Amino acid sequence: MENTFHMLLYRAMHAQRSYLRPCLRKLGLGTGQPKLLRFLSSHGPCRPKEIADYFEIDPAAVSRMLDVLEKGGFVTREPDETCRRSDRIELTERGRNAQQEWKLYCEKEEEKMLAGFSAEEIALFSDFLKRAYQNLRAAEQEEPLCKT
């Protein structure tokens, strides 16, 4: 297997997902849903478009994830009085509990993933990931890699 940076990053992300997957099942959540719960937990009730904008994903994908979360009792939808074409999404008690459990799982996962790293290395690693993200977002705005 290649040891290019791209493949190393992919393999680390895949290992993270595999490690956490049983926790998703235990909570009754699907891939991608915990991040929505976390967003709602930290930002409070909001519209689906705010979630889509934050995660830079298609609003239709957010809507589908929210439909499943609503059916599972993790969120509620109420008409947004400030925007008649949208709903306000809010965590239910079940959603808050799931978010809290997920947060604990992620803290344990980070502990395992970063074992043997010094505090300085963790800070640098975090900074490197932020900068890599910013570089890719800027490059995408300047000139997409593959034009459609």
Side-chain angles (χ1 to χ4, degrees), residues 21 40 105 140 146:
R21 191 171 291 119
L40 289 165
Y105 294 142
E140 185 180 25
C146 298

Side-chain angles (χ1 to χ4, degrees), residues 8 21 32-33 41 62 65 74 97-99 105-106 109 137:
L8 292 170
R21 191 171 291 119
Q33 293 174 341
S41 177
V62 169
M65 283 191 275
F74 296 100
N97 291 339
Q99 156 52 29
Y105 294 142
C106 289
E109 175 267 332
R137 295 305 292 158

Side-chain angles (χ1 to χ4, degrees), residues 45-48 70 76-90:
C46 63
R47 294 177 300 168
E70 184 180 24
T76 59
R77 290 178 192 252
E78 299 293 329
D80 187 345
E81 296 167 8
T82 64
C83 180
R84 294 185 327 172
R85 296 179 301 170
S86 187
D87 292 331
R88 287 184 61 77
I89 309 300
E90 187 169 359

Side-chain angles (χ1 to χ4, degrees), residues 22-79:
C23 302
L24 281 174
R25 285 193 290 270
K26 181 179 179 193
L27 295 172
L29 296 171
T31 305
Q33 293 174 341
K35 68 183 174 193
L36 273 63
L37 298 182
R38 183 146 195 175
F39 181 87
L40 289 165
S41 177
S42 62
H43 290 85
C46 63
R47 294 177 300 168
K49 182 170 178 4
E50 294 172 73
I51 298 169
D53 289 348
Y54 180 82
F55 289 109
E56 301 170 347
I57 54 178
D58 181 50
V62 169
S63 183
R64 287 188 299 273
M65 283 191 275
L66 290 171
D67 287 344
V68 174
L69 287 170
E70 184 180 24
K71 287 176 187 167
F74 296 100
V75 300
T76 59
R77 290 178 192 252
E78 299 293 329

Side-chain angles (χ1 to χ4, degrees), residues 83-125:
C83 180
R84 294 185 327 172
R85 296 179 301 170
S86 187
D87 292 331
R88 287 184 61 77
I89 309 300
E90 187 169 359
L91 285 175
T92 62
E93 184 175 343
R94 182 173 188 203
R96 282 188 293 282
N97 291 339
Q99 156 52 29
Q100 279 303 109
E101 264 191 82
W102 181 253
K103 182 179 175 189
L104 293 174
Y105 294 142
C106 289
E107 287 170 0
K108 289 177 184 176
E109 175 267 332
E110 283 183 19
E111 220 175 271
K112 297 288 185 187
M113 177 177 65
L114 298 171
F117 284 71
S118 70
E120 182 181 314
E121 289 172 325
I122 292 170
L124 282 170
F125 189 29

